[in-house]
Amino acid sequence: MQLQQISIEILRQLIGVSEQLEDEEFRQPLDILSKNSIGKHIRHIIEFYDLMMVGNTSGAVDYDKRCHDKVLEENRVMAIEKMNSLVQEINSTTEDRPIAMTVNYSLDNYDPVEIKSTLYRELQFNVEHAVHHMAIIKIAFLNSFPHIDIPASFGIAHSTINYERDSKCAQ
């Protein structure tokens, strides 16, 4: 299934660039990231995918309930292990199912909104969310870690890749 394969490719790209980083580079606060690190962005992506997979089992997902796991954002090896685990979980997903997604946009109190969704819709959201963060990570690589070998499609939406390919064919 396309959504699974795209998600797996995204996670494998993140694993690949993480393996190239030194531990200190992974957790180093960078000015270009507003003092955030590559590890924080990768942890953020991991936690969204992880909560989605928990929601696949429980039938409910709330991305606001992330734990902001310091270990994942500071320990490159643990982040890589978690991404490998997510690859296996996503690969073993065989069918779409309903998921109730909860979100709270109130700054004053807890006033959640529940949205009917599905696993595949959340998988699609996670693809776009990850690509967005990968584009930010790519800026940091180019600026701070030019030794990292970045895949050509890293941080580029599939719709953009398809548009650019089709535009070249039309010329």
Side-chain angles (χ1 to χ4, degrees):
M1 192 260 214
Q2 280 185 355
L3 289 171
Q4 289 164 294
Q5 294 313 309
I6 293 166
S7 291
I8 289 167
E9 175 61 23
I10 284 170
L11 291 166
R12 286 187 175 145
Q13 285 184 357
L14 288 166
I15 291 165
V17 294
S18 295
E19 289 174 339
Q20 295 177 61
L21 288 165
E22 297 295 326
D23 293 336
E24 182 55 37
E25 292 172 331
F26 186 79
R27 63 178 166 258
Q28 178 183 344
L30 300 171
D31 289 338
I32 196 137
L33 296 180
S34 301
K35 303 287 185 193
N36 289 303
S37 66
I38 301 290
K40 280 188 179 187
H41 280 273
I42 290 176
R43 184 261 311 149
H44 183 77
I45 295 167
I46 290 170
E47 287 184 339
F48 268 69
Y49 268 109
D50 192 44
L51 284 167
M52 180 200 65
M53 293 311 298
V54 169
N56 183 43
T57 302
S58 70
V61 66
D62 184 344
Y63 297 113
D64 294 340
K65 301 286 185 195
R66 297 184 314 279
C67 61
H68 298 85
D69 189 339
K70 285 279 198 203
V71 172
L72 288 178
E73 70 184 46
E74 294 181 358
N75 187 318
R76 183 180 60 84
V77 173
M78 292 298 291
I80 291 168
E81 287 178 10
K82 183 61 180 177
M83 287 186 282
N84 278 317
S85 174
L86 284 167
V87 164
Q88 291 176 340
E89 285 184 73
I90 291 167
N91 198 39
S92 68
T93 303
T94 57
E95 61 187 49
D96 199 10
R97 61 185 64 191
I99 294 179
M101 198 269 291
T102 303
V103 64
N104 179 44
Y105 286 106
S106 174
L107 296 177
D108 300 324
N109 58 4
Y110 185 67
D111 187 20
V113 175
E114 186 175 293
I115 301 166
K116 292 180 182 178
S117 188
T118 68
L119 172 64
Y120 288 175
R121 174 63 187 98
E122 295 308 310
L123 198 53
Q124 188 274 333
F125 164 75
N126 272 273
V127 165
E128 300 302 327
H129 175 256
V131 167
H132 164 77
H133 280 275
M134 290 165 73
I136 295 168
I137 292 167
K138 185 176 187 176
I139 292 167
F141 285 155
L142 295 171
N143 188 279
S144 302
F145 307 119
H147 64 279
I148 300 299
D149 183 24
I150 307 166
S153 63
F154 191 94
I156 302 174
H158 281 79
S159 60
T160 301
I161 294 168
N162 289 335
Y163 172 80
E164 289 175 353
R165 182 198 62 226
D166 295 344
S167 294
K168 287 177 186 173
C169 291
Q171 294 179 0

